[in-house]
Amino acid sequence: MKYFIYCRKSSEAEDRQILSIESQELELKKIAEKEGIRIDKIYKESKSGKEPGRLVFNEMILDIEKNHKDGVVLIVWKLDRLARNPIDGGTIQWLLQKGIIKNIKTYDRDYYPTDNVLMMSVELGMANQYIRDLSANVKRGNRTKLEKGEWPNHAPLGYLNDRANKTIVVDKGKAHYIIRLFDLYSTGGYTLKDISDILYKDGLRTNSGRKIIKGHLHRVINNPFYYGAMLRDGKYYKGKHEPLISKELFDKAQFVLSGRLHSKKQKLFFHLRGFLRCESCGCMCTASKKKGHDYYYC
């Protein structure tokens, strides 16, 4: 007879009240020691159990089915550590009914092939229903935040999450790069790759110190968050956060992105293009080079 320990915890809300993997392992080893059991293998993974496809769980099941048909005992903290979805739960129940899993031992009870299978099905079903209810509650909570003008996710580039006040605030170190991105792109004279290179030279970096790639800039150009709107599941919500650009500038960038503006690619680079605005009308200044000098005008 082989004895396996299986420990699982995910970083999602479902596991906030569950012991850490290290604590589970320690407690299960105490159970084994108390009953004089020698543990043959310990399986550990940090992965949500709400969907099939856990690598370590599948590895354990394959090992049991292939190498230990004479029977194993599984020791887990709770039954929901093994499964929170009907596919993995059905696999465990089937192996238990066939006697390949001789016993599932938890901190408060044991499950055997001769037990009333209805009770085990109820417990696994409750674990699955908990995840379904949790998902519905999270989505409902997110909708409520959006209707209040609050963004429920990680702040986009140019903003920061104020965890103390649970709000989104402007990232003063990067916001001006976002403004320049829209200003440059809306002229139609720069590709996203061009702008990626320009912003990198100007000092914009990822948190790891790398260049912001054009794919990320494409998502920025498409994000209405920057003019004060929030898009979720096809619906727009008015945000309470401070906009970085106007709706007019956003629309200009979308006009270029859609391919409806085919401006001639700019061959000359002007350092202040995208920064200077006309004092009278507020429009972005354009630039030209004459006799080796840069001239900016509205």
Side-chain angles (χ1 to χ4, degrees), residues 6 42 60 83 119 129 136 218 265 286 288:
Y6 177 80
I42 298 178
M60 179 181 70
M119 292 305 299
Q129 187 62 43
H218 186 275
K265 181 177 174 60
T286 187
S288 64

Side-chain angles (χ1 to χ4, degrees), residues 5-8 17-20 23-28 31 74-82 104-109 111:
I5 281 178
Y6 177 80
C7 305
R8 181 186 67 81
Q17 306 301 321
I18 300 297
L19 292 176
S20 67
S23 298
Q24 290 180 49
E25 182 180 352
L26 180 62
E27 292 297 324
L28 297 178
I31 293 174
L74 289 182
I75 306 175
V76 297
W77 177 247
K78 289 179 67 177
L79 205 58
D80 63 12
R81 298 301 84 203
L82 286 172
I104 299 176
K105 188 180 293 293
T106 69
Y107 79 99
D108 60 351
R109 67 160 294 178
Y111 301 84

Side-chain angles (χ1 to χ4, degrees), residues 184 189-201 214 217 265-266 269:
L184 290 174
Y190 299 90
T191 67
L192 288 175
K193 186 180 184 306
D194 294 335
I195 298 175
S196 175
D197 294 335
I198 292 171
L199 296 182
Y200 182 76
K201 290 178 181 177
K214 64 179 184 179
L217 296 184
K265 181 177 174 60
Q266 300 291 329
F269 176 74

Side-chain angles (χ1 to χ4, degrees), residues 55-248:
L55 295 179
V56 176
F57 175 83
N58 290 342
E59 177 189 339
M60 179 181 70
I61 295 299
L62 183 62
D63 185 24
I64 291 173
E65 292 180 320
K66 185 176 180 180
N67 303 317
H68 304 289
K69 292 186 178 181
D70 53 335
V72 300
V73 173
L74 289 182
I75 306 175
V76 297
W77 177 247
K78 289 179 67 177
L79 205 58
D80 63 12
R81 298 301 84 203
L82 286 172
R84 281 193 180 274
N85 67 81
I87 293 179
D88 291 340
T91 298
I92 291 295
Q93 284 185 284
W94 180 240
L95 292 177
L96 185 67
Q97 287 186 41
K98 291 204 303 183
I100 296 177
I101 296 178
K102 298 294 185 182
N103 176 17
I104 299 176
K105 188 180 293 293
T106 69
Y107 79 99
D108 60 351
R109 67 160 294 178
D110 288 82
Y111 301 84
Y112 294 97
T114 55
D115 282 347
N116 185 343
V117 296
L118 177 61
M119 292 305 299
M120 187 174 184
S121 297
V122 168
E123 290 192 42
L124 289 171
M126 289 173 62
N128 183 35
Q129 187 62 43
Y130 176 82
I131 287 296
R132 293 168 62 88
D133 292 343
L134 181 65
S135 176
N137 291 338
V138 169
K139 289 178 180 178
R140 183 170 61 247
N142 285 343
R143 284 196 302 271
T144 300
K145 291 194 70 174
L146 289 165
E147 288 166 358
K148 291 181 178 179
E150 302 170 358
W151 184 243
N153 296 105
H154 185 72
L157 182 66
Y159 291 90
L160 295 171
N161 291 94
D162 183 349
R163 301 190 184 280
N165 298 310
K166 297 183 179 180
T167 58
I168 302 290
V169 297
V170 173
D171 183 349
K172 298 186 182 301
K174 293 182 177 178
H176 66 282
Y177 294 115
I178 301 300
I179 298 172
R180 192 172 192 212
L181 161 63
F182 277 95
D183 284 334
L184 290 174
Y185 193 73
S186 63
T187 67
Y190 299 90
T191 67
L192 288 175
K193 186 180 184 306
D194 294 335
I195 298 175
S196 175
D197 294 335
I198 292 171
L199 296 182
Y200 182 76
K201 290 178 181 177
D202 288 347
L204 179 61
R205 303 285 190 275
T206 65
N207 291 334
S208 59
R210 298 181 179 181
K211 181 188 294 186
I212 304 291
I213 62 175
K214 64 179 184 179
H216 193 166
L217 296 184
H218 186 275
R219 291 193 293 273
V220 170
I221 291 291
N222 268 316
N223 194 346
F225 192 92
Y226 294 103
Y227 73 81
M230 302 180 297
L231 178 62
R232 174 60 69 87
D233 297 328
K235 183 177 180 180
Y236 287 88
Y237 301 85
K238 181 176 176 54
K240 288 182 178 179
H241 60 279
E242 178 183 343
L244 295 184
I245 61 170
S246 66
K247 176 67 162 57
E248 180 185 5

